[in-house]
């Protein structure tokens, strides 16, 4: 099983809303990631969690707040987003040897 | 992190074999070469990964020369459903920061 599950698949939120994206994997991977992808662009790394601790934050604005409650779950809390934050948000997890990363199907976020 | 260079786009007719070459001149000893396929509005799908020589699975083959400065993804007998963006990534063993290049947009023509 190489499945990373993301919910919801689609989300529309207003600029004053608070929402959360959820991600789950049961492959025993100890690294989990959030990526952001705009149309016709490659995915861009936002955050990396290693052993449930935040190890990389790619200078992401504080209106995006990641959380890793346990080794299988990863959340991305959203607050006061801007329309330019509309994008496909991808969750991924990886094993370290060999370094293979698996991606979820993404959440299509629209900020209105 | 080793930088990768691949063609921006390729066209191929259905039924043909497609080879996409990726250049990674600065690849390090601990680095693996990984290829992903991505359809619009979907997450990247893992295709194949290799360290050296040749790797084959049910979907593709990956050819890596001895100097490992390039690699070639081979898709046998492509169909229309293989139209997608293909990303070549170099990932270090045990390293977590995976950076995507622009990828190769493959268009399969009937």
């Amino acid at each position: 099983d190489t499945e990373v599950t993301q919910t919801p698949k689609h989300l529309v939120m207003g600029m004053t809303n608070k929402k959360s994206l959820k991600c789950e994997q049961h492959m025993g991977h100890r690294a989990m990631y959030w990526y952001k992808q705009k149309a016709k662009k490659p995915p861009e790394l936002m955050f990396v969690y290693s052993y449930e601790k935040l190890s990389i934050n790619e200078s992401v604005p504080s209106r995006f707040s990641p959380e890793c409650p346990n080794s299988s779950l990863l959340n991305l809390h959203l607050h006061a987003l801007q329309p330019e934050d509309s994008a496909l948000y991808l969750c991924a997890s990886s094993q370290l040897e060999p370094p293979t990363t698996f991606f979820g199907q993404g959440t299509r976020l629209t900020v209105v | 992190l080793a930088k990768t260079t691949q063609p921006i786009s390729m066209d191929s007719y259905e039924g043909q074999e497609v080879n996409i070459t990726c250049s990674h001149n600065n690849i390090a000893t601990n680095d693996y070469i990984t290829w992903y396929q991505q359809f619009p509005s979907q997450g990247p799908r893992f295709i194949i990964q290799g360290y050296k020589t040749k790797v084959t699975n049910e979907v593709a083959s990956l050819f890596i020369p001895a100097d490992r400065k390039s690699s070639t993804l081979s898709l046998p007998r492509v169909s229309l459903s293989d139209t997608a963006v293909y990303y070549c990534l170099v990932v270090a063993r045990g390293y977590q920061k995976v950076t995507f290049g622009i990828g190769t947009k493959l268009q399969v023509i009937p």
Side-chain angles (χ1 to χ4, degrees), chain A residues 33 35 37 97 100-101, chain B residues 36 38 41 49 93 96 98:
Chain A
Y33 313 76
Y35 283 81
Q37 187 174 25
E97 178 65 46
T100 311
T101 301
Chain B
Y36 290 89
Q38 188 177 29
S41 297
Q49 182 178 62
R93 182 183 296 158
Q96 299 159 17
V98 175

Side-chain angles (χ1 to χ4, degrees), chain B residues 35-54:
Chain B
W35 285 81
Y36 290 89
Q37 175 193 58
Q38 188 177 29
F39 300 112
S41 297
Q42 294 187 25
R45 173 185 164 235
F46 171 82
I47 300 175
I48 198 165
Q49 182 178 62
Y51 184 77
K52 61 181 179 180
T53 62
K54 176 185 174 182

Side-chain angles (χ1 to χ4, degrees), chain B residues 37-109:
Chain B
Q37 175 193 58
Q38 188 177 29
F39 300 112
S41 297
Q42 294 187 25
R45 173 185 164 235
F46 171 82
I47 300 175
I48 198 165
Q49 182 178 62
Y51 184 77
K52 61 181 179 180
T53 62
K54 176 185 174 182
V55 180
T56 297
N57 61 23
E58 64 277 6
V59 176
S61 294
L62 178 59
F63 298 92
I64 305 170
D67 66 5
R68 303 199 329 123
K69 293 184 183 298
S70 67
S71 59
T72 299
L73 173 72
S74 181
L75 304 173
R77 299 182 59 80
V78 294
S79 65
L80 296 176
S81 62
D82 293 316
T83 294
V85 177
Y86 292 81
Y87 292 102
C88 165
L89 282 77
V90 172
V91 184
R93 182 183 296 158
Y95 193 65
Q96 299 159 17
K97 187 168 180 176
V98 175
T99 302
F100 283 79
I102 59 172
T104 297
K105 182 172 173 54
L106 173 66
Q107 180 70 50
V108 179
I109 306 163

Side-chain angles (χ1 to χ4, degrees), chain A residues 21 23 25 28-35 45-58 60 64-77 90-96 101, chain B residues 94-98:
Chain A
L21 309 185
C23 175
Q25 58 90 13
H29 293 167
R30 303 311 297 271
M32 295 186 76
Y33 313 76
W34 283 113
Y35 283 81
L45 182 66
M46 299 174 72
F47 303 104
V48 179
Y49 271 83
S50 177
Y51 294 88
E52 295 104 71
K53 293 193 187 314
L54 184 64
S55 61
I56 296 177
N57 176 341
E58 292 287 90
V60 178
F64 296 90
S65 176
E67 178 197 21
C68 189
N70 59 54
S71 60
S72 299
L73 296 175
L74 187 65
N75 298 322
L76 185 63
H77 303 297
L90 297 163
C91 175
S93 71
S94 70
Q95 58 194 40
L96 296 182
T101 301
Chain B
Y95 193 65
Q96 299 159 17
K97 187 168 180 176
V98 175

Side-chain angles (χ1 to χ4, degrees), chain B residues 11-48:
Chain B
D11 291 338
S12 176
Y13 287 103
E14 269 192 298
Q16 289 191 330
E17 178 185 76
V18 170
N19 296 309
I20 306 174
T21 297
C22 179
S23 172
H24 29 79
N25 291 319
N26 296 324
I27 192 167
T29 303
N30 286 340
D31 290 345
Y32 283 73
I33 300 147
T34 311
W35 285 81
Y36 290 89
Q37 175 193 58
Q38 188 177 29
F39 300 112
S41 297
Q42 294 187 25
R45 173 185 164 235
F46 171 82
I47 300 175
I48 198 165

